[in-house]
Coordinates of all heavy atoms in Angstrom, one line a residue:
M1 N -6.8 0.8 4.3 CA -8.0 0.0 4.7 C -9.0 1.0 5.4 O -8.6 1.9 6.1 CB -7.6 -1.1 5.6 CG -6.8 -2.2 4.9 SD -6.6 -3.6 6.0 CE -5.8 -4.6 4.8
P2 N -10.2 0.6 5.3 CA -11.2 1.5 6.1 C -11.3 1.0 7.6 O -11.2 -0.2 7.9 CB -12.5 1.2 5.4 CG -12.3 -0.2 4.8 CD -10.9 -0.3 4.4
A3 N -11.4 1.9 8.5 CA -11.6 1.6 9.9 C -12.9 1.0 10.1 O -13.9 1.2 9.3 CB -11.4 2.9 10.7
N4 N -13.0 0.2 11.2 CA -14.3 -0.4 11.6 C -15.0 -1.2 10.5 O -16.2 -1.2 10.4 CB -15.3 0.7 12.1 CG -14.8 1.3 13.4 OD1 -14.4 0.7 14.3 ND2 -14.7 2.6 13.4
T5 N -14.1 -1.9 9.8 CA -14.6 -2.8 8.7 C -13.9 -4.1 8.8 O -12.7 -4.2 8.9 CB -14.3 -2.1 7.3 OG1 -14.9 -0.8 7.3 CG2 -14.7 -3.0 6.2
P6 N -14.6 -5.3 8.8 CA -13.9 -6.5 8.8 C -13.0 -6.7 7.6 O -13.4 -6.4 6.4 CB -15.1 -7.6 8.7 CG -16.3 -6.8 9.1 CD -16.1 -5.4 8.7
V7 N -11.8 -7.1 7.8 CA -10.8 -7.3 6.8 C -10.2 -8.7 6.9 O -10.2 -9.3 8.1 CB -9.7 -6.3 6.8 CG1 -10.2 -4.9 6.4 CG2 -8.9 -6.2 8.1
K8 N -9.7 -9.3 5.8 CA -9.1 -10.6 5.8 C -7.8 -10.5 5.2 O -7.7 -9.9 4.1 CB -10.1 -11.6 5.0 CG -9.5 -13.0 4.9 CD -10.5 -13.9 4.2 CE -11.0 -13.5 2.9 NZ -11.9 -14.4 2.3
F9 N -6.8 -11.1 5.8 CA -5.5 -11.2 5.2 C -5.2 -12.7 4.8 O -5.5 -13.6 5.6 CB -4.4 -10.8 6.2 CG -4.3 -9.4 6.6 CD1 -5.1 -8.9 7.6 CD2 -3.5 -8.5 5.9 CE1 -5.1 -7.5 7.9 CE2 -3.5 -7.2 6.2 CZ -4.3 -6.7 7.3
R10 N -4.8 -12.9 3.6 CA -4.4 -14.3 3.2 C -2.9 -14.2 2.9 O -2.4 -13.4 2.1 CB -5.2 -14.7 1.9 CG -6.7 -14.7 2.2 CD -7.5 -15.3 1.1 NE -7.4 -16.8 1.2 CZ -7.1 -17.6 0.2 NH1 -7.0 -17.1 -1.0 NH2 -7.0 -18.9 0.4
L11 N -2.2 -15.1 3.6 CA -0.7 -15.0 3.6 C 0.0 -16.3 3.2 O -0.5 -17.3 3.6 CB -0.2 -14.6 5.0 CG -1.0 -13.5 5.7 CD1 -1.0 -13.6 7.2 CD2 -0.4 -12.1 5.3
T12 N 1.0 -16.2 2.5 CA 1.8 -17.4 2.2 C 3.3 -16.9 2.1 O 3.6 -15.7 2.1 CB 1.4 -18.1 1.0 OG1 2.0 -19.4 0.9 CG2 1.7 -17.3 -0.3
S13 N 4.2 -17.8 2.1 CA 5.6 -17.5 2.0 C 6.2 -18.4 0.9 O 5.9 -19.5 0.7 CB 6.3 -17.9 3.3 OG 7.7 -17.8 3.2
A14 N 7.1 -17.7 0.1 CA 7.8 -18.4 -1.0 C 9.1 -18.9 -0.6 O 9.8 -19.6 -1.3 CB 7.9 -17.4 -2.2
D15 N 9.5 -18.6 0.7 CA 10.9 -19.1 1.0 C 11.0 -19.8 2.4 O 11.1 -21.0 2.4 CB 11.9 -17.9 1.0 CG 11.4 -16.7 1.8 OD1 10.4 -16.8 2.6 OD2 12.0 -15.6 1.6
V16 N 10.8 -19.1 3.5 CA 11.0 -19.7 4.8 C 9.8 -19.3 5.7 O 8.9 -18.5 5.3 CB 12.3 -19.3 5.5 CG1 13.5 -19.8 4.7 CG2 12.3 -17.7 5.6
V17 N 9.8 -19.8 6.9 CA 8.7 -19.4 7.9 C 8.9 -18.0 8.3 O 10.0 -17.6 8.7 CB 8.7 -20.4 9.1 CG1 7.6 -20.0 10.1 CG2 8.5 -21.8 8.6
H18 N 7.8 -17.2 8.3 CA 7.8 -15.9 8.8 C 6.7 -15.7 9.8 O 5.8 -16.6 9.9 CB 7.5 -14.9 7.6 CG 8.5 -14.8 6.5 ND1 9.7 -14.1 6.7 CD2 8.6 -15.5 5.4 CE1 10.4 -14.3 5.5 NE2 9.8 -15.1 4.8
G19 N 6.7 -14.7 10.5 CA 5.6 -14.4 11.5 C 4.9 -13.1 11.1 O 5.5 -12.2 10.7
F20 N 3.6 -13.2 11.3 CA 2.8 -12.0 10.9 C 2.1 -11.5 12.1 O 1.3 -12.2 12.7 CB 1.8 -12.4 9.8 CG 0.9 -11.3 9.3 CD1 1.4 -10.4 8.3 CD2 -0.4 -11.2 9.7 CE1 0.6 -9.4 7.8 CE2 -1.2 -10.2 9.2 CZ -0.7 -9.3 8.2
L21 N 2.3 -10.3 12.5 CA 1.7 -9.7 13.7 C 1.2 -8.3 13.4 O 1.8 -7.5 12.8 CB 2.9 -9.6 14.8 CG 2.5 -8.9 16.1 CD1 1.6 -9.7 16.9 CD2 3.8 -8.6 16.9
L22 N 0.0 -8.1 13.9 CA -0.6 -6.8 13.9 C -0.9 -6.3 15.3 O -1.8 -6.7 15.9 CB -1.9 -6.8 13.1 CG -1.8 -6.9 11.6 CD1 -3.2 -7.1 11.0 CD2 -1.2 -5.6 11.0
P23 N 0.0 -5.5 15.9 CA -0.1 -5.1 17.2 C -1.5 -4.4 17.5 O -2.0 -3.8 16.5 CB 1.0 -4.1 17.4 CG 2.1 -4.5 16.4 CD 1.3 -5.0 15.2
D24 N -2.0 -4.6 18.6 CA -3.3 -4.0 19.0 C -4.5 -4.6 18.3 O -5.6 -4.0 18.2 CB -3.3 -2.5 18.8 CG -2.3 -1.7 19.6 OD1 -1.9 -2.2 20.7 OD2 -1.7 -0.8 19.1
T25 N -4.3 -5.8 17.7 CA -5.4 -6.5 17.1 C -5.3 -8.0 17.6 O -4.4 -8.3 18.4 CB -5.4 -6.6 15.6 OG1 -4.3 -7.4 15.1 CG2 -5.2 -5.2 15.0
N26 N -6.2 -8.9 17.1 CA -6.1 -10.3 17.5 C -5.3 -11.1 16.5 O -5.3 -12.3 16.5 CB -7.5 -10.8 17.5 CG -8.2 -10.7 16.2 OD1 -7.8 -9.9 15.3 ND2 -9.2 -11.5 16.0
V27 N -4.5 -10.4 15.6 CA -3.8 -11.1 14.6 C -2.3 -11.4 15.0 O -1.6 -10.5 15.3 CB -3.8 -10.3 13.2 CG1 -2.9 -10.9 12.2 CG2 -5.2 -10.1 12.7
N28 N -2.0 -12.7 14.9 CA -0.6 -13.1 15.2 C -0.6 -14.6 14.7 O -1.2 -15.5 15.2 CB -0.4 -13.2 16.7 CG 1.0 -13.6 17.1 OD1 1.7 -14.2 16.3 ND2 1.4 -13.3 18.3
T29 N 0.1 -14.7 13.6 CA 0.2 -16.1 13.0 C 1.5 -16.4 12.3 O 2.3 -15.4 12.1 CB -1.0 -16.3 11.9 OG1 -1.1 -17.7 11.6 CG2 -0.7 -15.5 10.7
M30 N 1.8 -17.6 12.1 CA 3.0 -18.0 11.3 C 2.6 -18.1 9.9 O 1.5 -18.4 9.5 CB 3.5 -19.4 11.8 CG 3.7 -19.4 13.3 SD 4.9 -18.2 13.9 CE 6.4 -18.9 13.3
V31 N 3.6 -17.8 9.0 CA 3.4 -17.9 7.6 C 4.3 -18.9 7.1 O 5.5 -18.7 7.1 CB 3.6 -16.5 6.9 CG1 3.3 -16.6 5.4 CG2 2.7 -15.5 7.5
V32 N 3.8 -20.1 6.7 CA 4.6 -21.3 6.4 C 4.6 -21.5 4.8 O 3.5 -21.6 4.3 CB 4.0 -22.5 7.1 CG1 4.8 -23.7 6.9 CG2 4.0 -22.1 8.6
P33 N 5.7 -21.8 4.3 CA 5.7 -22.1 2.8 C 4.8 -23.3 2.5 O 4.8 -24.3 3.3 CB 7.2 -22.5 2.6 CG 8.0 -21.8 3.6 CD 7.1 -21.7 4.8
G34 N 4.1 -23.2 1.5 CA 3.2 -24.4 1.1 C 1.8 -24.3 1.7 O 1.0 -25.1 1.3
F35 N 1.6 -23.3 2.5 CA 0.3 -23.2 3.2 C -0.2 -21.8 3.1 O 0.6 -20.8 2.8 CB 0.3 -23.5 4.7 CG 0.7 -25.0 4.9 CD1 2.0 -25.4 5.0 CD2 -0.3 -25.9 5.1 CE1 2.3 -26.7 5.3 CE2 0.0 -27.3 5.2 CZ 1.3 -27.6 5.4
V36 N -1.5 -21.6 3.1 CA -2.1 -20.2 3.1 C -2.7 -20.0 4.5 O -3.6 -20.7 4.9 CB -3.2 -20.0 2.0 CG1 -3.8 -18.6 2.1 CG2 -2.5 -20.3 0.6
A37 N -2.2 -19.0 5.2 CA -2.7 -18.6 6.5 C -3.8 -17.5 6.2 O -3.6 -16.6 5.4 CB -1.7 -18.0 7.4
E38 N -4.9 -17.6 6.9 CA -6.0 -16.6 6.7 C -6.4 -16.1 8.1 O -6.7 -16.9 9.0 CB -7.2 -17.3 6.0 CG -8.3 -16.3 5.8 CD -9.4 -16.9 5.0 OE1 -9.2 -17.4 3.9 OE2 -10.6 -17.0 5.5
V39 N -6.3 -14.8 8.2 CA -6.7 -14.2 9.5 C -7.6 -13.0 9.2 O -7.6 -12.4 8.2 CB -5.4 -13.6 10.3 CG1 -4.5 -14.8 10.7 CG2 -4.6 -12.7 9.4
R40 N -8.5 -12.8 10.2 CA -9.5 -11.7 10.1 C -9.5 -10.8 11.3 O -9.2 -11.2 12.4 CB -10.9 -12.3 10.0 CG -11.1 -13.2 8.8 CD -12.3 -14.1 8.9 NE -12.4 -15.1 7.9 CZ -13.2 -15.1 6.9 NH1 -14.0 -14.1 6.7 NH2 -13.1 -16.1 6.0
T41 N -9.7 -9.5 11.0 CA -9.7 -8.6 12.1 C -10.4 -7.3 11.6 O -10.9 -7.2 10.5 CB -8.2 -8.2 12.6 OG1 -8.3 -7.5 13.8 CG2 -7.5 -7.4 11.5
S42 N -10.4 -6.3 12.4 CA -10.9 -5.0 12.0 C -10.0 -4.0 12.9 O -9.6 -4.3 13.9 CB -12.3 -4.8 12.2 OG -12.6 -4.8 13.6
F43 N -9.9 -2.8 12.3 CA -9.1 -1.8 13.0 C -10.1 -0.7 13.5 O -10.8 0.0 12.7 CB -8.2 -1.1 12.0 CG -7.1 -2.1 11.5 CD1 -7.4 -2.8 10.3 CD2 -5.9 -2.3 12.1 CE1 -6.5 -3.7 9.8 CE2 -5.0 -3.2 11.6 CZ -5.3 -3.9 10.5
A44 N -10.2 -0.5 14.8 CA -11.2 0.4 15.4 C -10.8 1.8 15.1 O -11.7 2.7 15.0 CB -11.3 0.1 16.9
Q45 N -9.5 2.1 15.1 CA -9.1 3.5 15.0 C -8.2 3.7 13.7 O -7.4 2.8 13.4 CB -8.2 3.9 16.2 CG -8.9 3.8 17.5 CD -10.1 4.8 17.6 OE1 -10.0 5.9 17.1 NE2 -11.2 4.4 18.2
P46 N -8.4 4.8 13.0 CA -7.5 5.1 11.9 C -6.1 5.3 12.4 O -5.9 5.6 13.6 CB -8.0 6.4 11.4 CG -9.5 6.5 11.8 CD -9.5 5.8 13.1
G47 N -5.1 5.0 11.5 CA -3.7 5.2 11.9 C -2.8 4.3 11.1 O -3.3 3.7 10.2
E48 N -1.5 4.4 11.4 CA -0.6 3.5 10.7 C -0.2 2.4 11.7 O 0.2 2.6 12.8 CB 0.7 4.3 10.5 CG 0.5 5.5 9.5 CD 0.2 5.0 8.1 OE1 0.9 4.1 7.6 OE2 -0.6 5.7 7.4
Y49 N -0.5 1.2 11.2 CA -0.2 -0.1 12.0 C 1.0 -0.8 11.4 O 0.9 -1.2 10.2 CB -1.4 -1.0 12.0 CG -2.6 -0.4 12.7 CD1 -3.4 0.6 12.1 CD2 -2.9 -0.7 14.0 CE1 -4.5 1.1 12.8 CE2 -4.0 -0.2 14.7 CZ -4.7 0.8 14.1 OH -5.8 1.3 14.7
E50 N 2.0 -1.0 12.2 CA 3.2 -1.7 11.7 C 2.9 -3.2 11.7 O 2.2 -3.7 12.6 CB 4.4 -1.4 12.5 CG 4.8 0.1 12.3 CD 6.1 0.4 12.9 OE1 6.6 -0.5 13.7 OE2 6.7 1.5 12.7
M51 N 3.5 -3.9 10.7 CA 3.4 -5.4 10.6 C 4.8 -6.0 10.6 O 5.4 -6.3 9.6 CB 2.7 -5.8 9.4 CG 1.3 -5.2 9.2 SD 0.4 -5.8 7.8 CE 1.4 -5.4 6.4
P52 N 5.4 -6.2 11.8 CA 6.7 -6.7 11.8 C 6.7 -8.3 11.7 O 5.8 -8.9 12.1 CB 7.2 -6.4 13.2 CG 6.0 -6.3 14.0 CD 4.9 -5.8 13.1
C53 N 7.7 -8.8 11.1 CA 7.9 -10.2 11.1 C 8.4 -10.6 12.5 O 9.3 -10.0 13.0 CB 8.9 -10.7 10.0 SG 9.3 -12.5 10.1
H54 N 7.8 -11.6 13.2 CA 8.2 -11.9 14.5 C 8.8 -13.3 14.6 O 8.8 -13.9 15.7 CB 7.0 -11.7 15.5 CG 5.9 -12.6 15.3 ND1 5.9 -13.9 15.7 CD2 4.7 -12.4 14.7 CE1 4.7 -14.5 15.4 NE2 4.0 -13.6 14.8
E55 N 9.2 -13.8 13.5 CA 9.8 -15.2 13.5 C 11.2 -14.9 12.8 O 11.2 -14.5 11.6 CB 9.0 -16.2 12.7 CG 9.6 -17.5 12.6 CD 9.7 -18.3 13.9 OE1 8.9 -17.9 14.9 OE2 10.5 -19.2 14.0
F56 N 12.3 -15.3 13.4 CA 13.6 -15.1 12.8 C 13.6 -15.9 11.5 O 13.4 -17.1 11.5 CB 14.7 -15.5 13.7 CG 16.1 -15.2 13.0 CD1 16.6 -13.9 13.0 CD2 16.8 -16.3 12.5 CE1 17.8 -13.7 12.3 CE2 18.0 -16.0 11.8 CZ 18.5 -14.7 11.8
C57 N 13.8 -15.1 10.4 CA 13.6 -15.8 9.1 C 14.9 -15.7 8.2 O 14.9 -16.2 7.1 CB 12.5 -15.1 8.3 SG 12.6 -13.3 8.2
G58 N 15.9 -15.1 8.8 CA 17.2 -15.0 8.0 C 17.9 -13.7 8.2 O 17.5 -12.9 9.1
L59 N 18.9 -13.4 7.3 CA 19.7 -12.2 7.5 C 18.9 -10.9 7.4 O 19.3 -9.9 8.0 CB 20.9 -12.2 6.5 CG 21.9 -13.3 6.7 CD1 22.9 -13.3 5.6 CD2 22.6 -13.2 8.1
G60 N 17.9 -10.9 6.7 CA 17.1 -9.6 6.5 C 15.9 -9.5 7.5 O 15.1 -8.5 7.4
H61 N 15.9 -10.4 8.4 CA 14.8 -10.3 9.4 C 14.5 -9.0 10.1 O 13.4 -8.5 10.2 CB 14.9 -11.4 10.4 CG 13.9 -11.4 11.5 ND1 12.6 -11.7 11.3 CD2 14.0 -11.0 12.8 CE1 11.9 -11.6 12.4 NE2 12.8 -11.1 13.4
H62 N 15.6 -8.4 10.5 CA 15.6 -7.1 11.2 C 14.9 -6.0 10.4 O 14.4 -5.1 11.0 CB 17.0 -6.7 11.7 CG 17.8 -6.2 10.6 ND1 18.4 -7.2 9.7 CD2 18.2 -5.0 10.1 CE1 19.1 -6.5 8.8 NE2 19.0 -5.2 9.0
A63 N 14.9 -6.1 9.1 CA 14.3 -5.1 8.3 C 13.0 -5.5 7.7 O 12.4 -4.9 6.8 CB 15.3 -4.7 7.2
M64 N 12.5 -6.7 8.2 CA 11.3 -7.2 7.5 C 10.0 -6.7 8.2 O 9.6 -7.3 9.3 CB 11.3 -8.7 7.5 CG 10.2 -9.3 6.7 SD 10.5 -11.1 6.4 CE 9.5 -11.3 5.0
W65 N 9.4 -5.7 7.7 CA 8.2 -5.2 8.3 C 7.5 -4.4 7.2 O 8.0 -4.0 6.2 CB 8.4 -4.3 9.5 CG 9.3 -3.1 9.3 CD1 10.7 -3.1 9.3 CD2 8.9 -1.8 8.9 NE1 11.1 -1.9 9.0 CE2 10.1 -1.1 8.7 CE3 7.7 -1.2 8.7 CZ2 10.0 0.3 8.3 CZ3 7.7 0.1 8.3 CH2 8.8 0.9 8.2
A66 N 6.2 -4.2 7.4 CA 5.4 -3.5 6.5 C 4.4 -2.6 7.3 O 4.4 -2.7 8.5 CB 4.7 -4.4 5.5
R67 N 3.5 -1.9 6.6 CA 2.6 -1.0 7.3 C 1.2 -1.0 6.7 O 1.2 -1.1 5.4 CB 3.2 0.4 7.3 CG 2.6 1.4 8.3 CD 3.4 2.7 8.2 NE 4.6 2.6 8.9 CZ 5.7 3.2 8.6 NH1 5.7 4.1 7.6 NH2 6.8 3.1 9.3
V68 N 0.2 -1.0 7.5 CA -1.1 -0.9 7.0 C -1.6 0.5 7.4 O -1.5 0.9 8.5 CB -2.1 -1.9 7.7 CG1 -3.5 -1.7 7.3 CG2 -1.7 -3.4 7.3
S69 N -2.1 1.2 6.4 CA -2.7 2.5 6.6 C -4.2 2.4 6.7 O -4.9 2.0 5.8 CB -2.3 3.5 5.5 OG -2.9 4.7 5.7
V70 N -4.8 2.7 7.9 CA -6.2 2.7 8.2 C -6.8 4.1 8.2 O -6.2 5.0 8.9 CB -6.5 2.0 9.5 CG1 -8.0 1.9 9.8 CG2 -5.9 0.5 9.5
V71 N -7.8 4.3 7.4 CA -8.4 5.6 7.3 C -9.9 5.6 7.6 O -10.4 4.4 7.6 CB -8.2 6.2 5.8 CG1 -6.7 6.4 5.5 CG2 -8.9 5.3 4.8
P72 N -10.5 6.7 8.0 CA -11.9 6.6 8.2 C -12.7 6.1 7.0 O -12.3 6.3 5.9 CB -12.3 8.1 8.4 CG -11.0 8.7 8.9 CD -9.9 8.0 8.2
K73 N -13.9 5.5 7.2 CA -14.6 4.8 6.2 C -14.9 5.8 5.0 O -14.8 5.4 3.9 CB -15.9 4.2 6.7 CG -15.8 2.9 7.3 CD -17.2 2.3 7.6 CE -17.1 0.9 8.1 NZ -18.4 0.3 8.4
D74 N -15.4 7.0 5.4 CA -15.8 7.9 4.3 C -14.6 8.3 3.5 O -14.7 8.6 2.3 CB -16.5 9.1 4.9 CG -15.7 9.9 6.0 OD1 -14.7 9.3 6.5 OD2 -16.0 11.0 6.3
Q75 N -13.4 8.5 4.1 CA -12.2 8.8 3.4 C -11.9 7.7 2.4 O -11.5 7.9 1.3 CB -11.1 9.1 4.3 CG -9.8 9.5 3.6 CD -8.7 9.8 4.6 OE1 -8.9 10.1 5.7 NE2 -7.4 9.7 4.1
F76 N -12.0 6.4 2.9 CA -11.6 5.3 2.1 C -12.6 5.2 0.9 O -12.2 5.0 -0.3 CB -11.7 4.0 2.9 CG -11.3 2.8 2.2 CD1 -10.0 2.5 2.0 CD2 -12.2 2.0 1.5 CE1 -9.5 1.3 1.3 CE2 -11.8 0.8 0.9 CZ -10.5 0.5 0.8
A77 N -13.9 5.5 1.1 CA -14.9 5.4 0.0 C -14.6 6.5 -1.0 O -14.9 6.3 -2.2 CB -16.2 5.5 0.6
A78 N -14.1 7.6 -0.6 CA -13.8 8.7 -1.6 C -12.6 8.5 -2.4 O -12.4 9.1 -3.4 CB -13.7 10.0 -0.8
Q79 N -11.7 7.5 -2.0 CA -10.5 7.3 -2.7 C -10.8 6.5 -4.0 O -11.6 5.6 -4.0 CB -9.5 6.6 -1.8 CG -8.9 7.4 -0.7 CD -8.0 6.6 0.2 OE1 -8.1 5.4 0.3 NE2 -7.1 7.3 0.8
G80 N -10.0 6.7 -5.0 CA -10.1 5.8 -6.2 C -9.3 4.6 -5.9 O -8.5 4.5 -5.0
P81 N -9.5 3.6 -6.8 CA -8.7 2.3 -6.6 C -7.2 2.5 -6.6 O -6.5 1.8 -5.8 CB -9.1 1.5 -7.8 CG -10.4 2.0 -8.3 CD -10.4 3.5 -7.9
L82 N -6.7 3.4 -7.4 CA -5.2 3.6 -7.4 C -4.8 4.3 -6.1 O -3.6 4.1 -5.7 CB -4.8 4.4 -8.6 CG -5.0 3.6 -9.9 CD1 -4.6 4.5 -11.1 CD2 -4.2 2.3 -9.9
E83 N -5.6 5.1 -5.5 CA -5.2 5.8 -4.3 C -5.2 4.9 -3.1 O -4.6 5.2 -2.1 CB -6.2 7.0 -4.0 CG -6.1 8.1 -5.0 CD -7.3 9.1 -4.7 OE1 -8.4 8.8 -5.0 OE2 -6.9 10.1 -4.1
R84 N -5.8 3.8 -3.2 CA -5.9 2.8 -2.1 C -4.7 2.0 -1.9 O -4.5 1.3 -0.9 CB -7.1 1.9 -2.2 CG -8.4 2.7 -2.2 CD -9.6 1.8 -2.4 NE -10.8 2.5 -2.3 CZ -12.0 2.1 -2.5 NH1 -12.2 0.8 -2.9 NH2 -13.1 2.8 -2.5
T85 N -3.8 2.1 -2.8 CA -2.5 1.3 -2.7 C -1.3 2.3 -2.6 O -1.2 3.2 -3.4 CB -2.3 0.3 -3.8 OG1 -2.2 1.1 -5.0 CG2 -3.5 -0.7 -3.9
R86 N -0.5 2.0 -1.7 CA 0.7 2.9 -1.5 C 1.6 2.8 -2.8 O 2.2 3.7 -3.2 CB 1.5 2.5 -0.3 CG 2.7 3.4 0.0 CD 3.3 3.0 1.3 NE 2.2 3.2 2.3 CZ 2.4 4.0 3.4 NH1 3.5 4.7 3.5 NH2 1.4 4.2 4.2
C87 N 1.6 1.6 -3.4 CA 2.5 1.4 -4.5 C 2.1 2.3 -5.6 O 2.9 2.8 -6.4 CB 2.4 -0.1 -5.0 SG 3.1 -1.3 -3.8
A88 N 0.8 2.6 -5.8 CA 0.4 3.4 -6.9 C 0.8 4.9 -6.7 O 0.9 5.6 -7.7 CB -1.2 3.4 -6.9
K89 N 1.1 5.3 -5.5 CA 1.6 6.7 -5.3 C 3.0 6.8 -5.5 O 3.5 7.9 -5.7 CB 1.3 7.1 -3.8 CG -0.2 7.1 -3.5 CD -0.4 7.6 -2.1 CE -1.9 7.6 -1.8 NZ -2.2 7.9 -0.4
Q90 N 3.8 5.8 -5.6 CA 5.2 5.9 -5.8 C 5.7 6.0 -7.2 O 5.0 5.6 -8.1 CB 6.0 4.8 -5.1 CG 5.7 4.8 -3.6 CD 6.4 3.6 -2.9 OE1 6.8 2.6 -3.5 NE2 6.3 3.6 -1.6
Ligands
LIG101 CU1 11.6 -12.5 10.0

């Protein structure tokens, strides 16, 4: 994601209640099956932001986290669509 840019996350769960937290931002919400949670924020500084699940959701809870990679705006604009997703690099 580009730094200093408004971003929106739309979240839902296919199984149980999860928690969605972005440390150092205003984002902290529950993700409930059957509902779509929508949160907005921006990242002031480039970096790697961890997104841990903060609601005990089952046996795999301890390993349930993801990461958002925030880069400077000009670097983001120079990337192609496939470079913007980590999945495309694997
Ligand atoms: Cu969890």
